[in-house]
Amino acid sequence: MKNIIIISVEQRQSIAVSVQEVLTQFGCFIKTRLGITDSCGESCSQTGLIILEFIGKETEISALTEKLTAIKGVKVKAVSI
């Protein structure tokens, strides 16, 4: 079974450091990380998506989700396939 976590980040420039701190805490459980932004070339987008392949157990998924959703402007969806 694969655990995929999708993180939507709004106001990316102001909360990126907080999001990164949480992801660093769970770094040993992140197998793959993909970041997607809507850059227009001249300016960075304020919104972005982070897609994680997460190898931790349900307790780690819940802890990561809880810490990320505590950050204003972050939405998280965990999917097991």
Side-chain angles (χ1 to χ4, degrees):
M1 182 179 315
K2 299 269 186 193
N3 296 307
I4 306 298
I5 299 174
I6 303 166
I7 306 162
S8 172
V9 180
E10 297 179 8
Q11 301 301 319
R12 192 172 57 85
Q13 291 177 340
S14 62
I15 64 173
V17 172
S18 298
V19 171
Q20 182 59 44
E21 287 174 353
V22 173
L23 294 178
T24 299
Q25 292 174 12
F26 292 88
C28 292
F29 302 109
I30 298 172
K31 183 175 181 182
T32 307
R33 175 178 171 174
L34 173 65
I36 303 171
T37 60
D38 292 327
S39 295
C40 346
E42 293 181 15
S43 63
C44 288
S45 172
Q46 283 294 318
T47 61
L49 286 177
I50 301 169
I51 301 170
L52 306 176
E53 179 182 3
F54 199 79
I55 57 173
K57 297 179 182 178
E58 186 62 38
T59 55
E60 286 93 7
I61 293 171
S62 295
L64 172 63
T65 300
E66 183 178 312
K67 287 187 177 199
L68 286 171
T69 54
I71 302 169
K72 186 177 180 182
V74 175
K75 296 177 185 173
V76 181
K77 179 72 176 177
V79 179
S80 294
I81 55 172

